[in-house]
Amino acid sequence: MIRFLVKVVMNGIILVPLLLWYTEANVFSAIVATLLFSVIAYLVGDRLILRASNNLVATVSDAILAVVYLWAASAVMHWSLNWGELLFTAVLLGVVELLYHFFLKRFDTEDERERA
């Protein structure tokens, strides 16, 4: 559970302010969009892709997921998120995901040492 909460906080630090800045989103819709993105990214990127591949593949797929998700959210919510803003946000989320995956690896390594 702590892993998911860390992911939500890290994504929220990036996504909520950028959605508020770039779009007509209000605080509630920006938080809901961030939570939904975090759930999808956690299930797909961290539980499936990261376990089956490596950090680079998982990070790139998370960034691609961010582009698709933000594009879809923008269309559904009628936000004026242009491609430059969308790609900038996705790149920042990709960097956050890279740091998050390093955190997961370090956390897993520390857990293994404690068990030994």
Side-chain angles (χ1 to χ4, degrees), residues 1-38:
M1 184 65 168
I2 188 111
R3 295 169 189 219
F4 176 69
L5 293 176
V6 169
K7 184 175 195 80
V8 169
V9 169
M10 290 176 76
N11 285 338
I13 289 170
I14 298 298
L15 197 50
V16 170
L18 288 179
L19 287 177
L20 292 173
W21 180 263
Y22 289 145
T23 70
E24 301 78 31
N26 59 37
V27 173
F28 178 76
S29 61
I31 290 172
V32 169
T34 299
L35 288 173
L36 185 57
F37 171 73
S38 296

Side-chain angles (χ1 to χ4, degrees), residues 6-79:
V6 169
K7 184 175 195 80
V8 169
V9 169
M10 290 176 76
N11 285 338
I13 289 170
I14 298 298
L15 197 50
V16 170
L18 288 179
L19 287 177
L20 292 173
W21 180 263
Y22 289 145
T23 70
E24 301 78 31
N26 59 37
V27 173
F28 178 76
S29 61
I31 290 172
V32 169
T34 299
L35 288 173
L36 185 57
F37 171 73
S38 296
V39 167
I40 294 168
Y42 181 75
L43 293 175
V44 173
D46 302 332
R47 302 294 284 171
L48 294 175
I49 296 173
L50 184 59
R51 290 183 181 213
S53 64
N54 60 35
N55 193 2
L56 180 63
V57 172
T59 299
V60 169
S61 52
D62 281 336
I64 292 169
L65 174 66
V67 169
V68 171
Y69 174 81
L70 291 172
W71 172 79
S74 178
V76 169
M77 302 297 284
H78 305 290
W79 292 338

